[in-house]
Amino acid sequence: MYLDADNGVPTEEQAPAPEQHPGGRWENFPFSCLSHHGQACCDIAREWVIANDFAQSNGGDPLSGPRWLRQKFEWGPSLWPLHWCEAVGRKSIDCGAHAALAHAAFTARGIPAYRAQFVQRYSAEAAGEWRRKWGADQASDHWITDDFIYHEGNAVPVGDGEVKLWDGSAGWWLNQRQAAGGYGSLAAVRIFVEDWDGSALRWGRHSIQPNCWHQLEPPPAQR
């Protein structure tokens, strides 16, 4: 995931102290962006992603998720900043890189996809295992707390203001029924929309205002 380019750790603005709502810890955190060397290596890497997505889709539904990316790249630690040519050469990448590659695939298909941030509920046991894994690779674990994790994905318009939420690290569309608590449930979401016209987006029964955190679970104090 994106880290401060100068020192490789989250800045205070990017990782403020935890707040009551699930997205509070990551209130001002930007979504991850792959860097570009300004040379052919990164241009070739990006074109490789687009060409492979075209070949894998084989003329199928343009709204189908690019599951081949999850088959090609496992989910695991990434050290940031991460360049395009570095990302495609790895065996595993984190959710920020998965989301960036999926966004390139969706937009190359002509779909105005959006970047999205998620907060998901897991367990202390899972958090501990992920901390050990990321620590072994000297990667930041700023995305983990005891109850929630920060995650990245994509929001894809499917017509009439409705969106589907893509989790590239899992290789599936998020299930709206999993937004009501429990292990792996979606607690909060933020969808980034440039040139926003003020209208809300719909994900199932949820009406989501772009560019700000939308809470799907009640705050911890209200449980």
Side-chain angles (χ1 to χ4, degrees):
M1 269 165 274
Y2 177 86
L3 298 177
D4 178 63
D6 293 329
N7 55 29
V9 299
T11 65
E12 290 186 1
E13 284 110 5
Q14 293 166 350
E19 298 176 10
Q20 281 291 82
H21 64 90
R25 176 180 174 84
W26 302 282
E27 182 70 34
N28 300 312
F29 203 80
F31 61 79
S32 304
C33 293
L34 293 175
S35 300
H36 196 293
H37 281 116
Q39 300 177 15
C41 57
C42 289
D43 287 333
I44 292 171
R46 190 177 187 280
E47 290 304 316
W48 177 87
V49 171
I50 294 171
N52 271 272
D53 185 66
F54 179 80
Q56 292 290 331
S57 62
N58 195 28
D61 185 354
L63 290 175
S64 63
R67 290 181 173 85
W68 71 272
L69 285 168
R70 178 59 180 84
Q71 296 168 353
K72 174 68 176 177
F73 305 104
E74 297 180 0
W75 175 68
S78 294
L79 298 179
W80 293 78
L82 182 66
H83 293 80
W84 278 92
C85 60
E86 297 165 342
V88 301
R90 292 180 59 87
K91 292 183 178 179
S92 64
I93 54 178
D94 69 14
C95 64
H98 267 293
L101 296 181
H103 185 262
F106 281 127
T107 54
R109 299 177 189 179
I111 300 171
Y114 311 126
R115 296 298 300 274
Q117 296 174 317
F118 309 137
V119 175
Q120 292 176 293
R121 174 177 293 281
Y122 281 95
S123 66
E125 291 77 14
E129 179 60 30
W130 291 328
R131 285 189 191 280
R132 287 188 290 273
K133 185 174 182 178
W134 259 245
D137 278 26
Q138 299 184 329
S140 174
D141 62 3
H142 64 281
W143 57 279
I144 306 170
T145 68
D146 291 338
D147 297 312
F148 300 105
I149 67 162
Y150 168 89
H151 197 52
E152 292 191 23
N154 309 86
V156 178
V158 292
D160 195 26
E162 185 177 359
V163 295
K164 296 172 67 176
L165 300 180
W166 175 252
D167 182 348
S169 296
W172 59 46
W173 298 102
L174 291 184
N175 188 338
Q176 299 164 12
R177 296 180 180 178
Q178 285 189 300
Y183 190 86
S185 63
L186 185 63
V189 59
R190 176 162 56 180
I191 300 173
F192 291 88
V193 180
E194 294 184 6
D195 302 322
W196 179 41
D197 63 5
S199 59
L201 299 173
R202 289 184 297 104
W203 182 60
R205 61 184 177 84
H206 300 281
S207 179
I208 301 172
Q209 295 292 328
N211 304 321
C212 60
W213 282 106
H214 176 83
Q215 186 174 299
L216 284 78
E217 288 190 11
Q222 296 181 11
R223 294 182 185 279

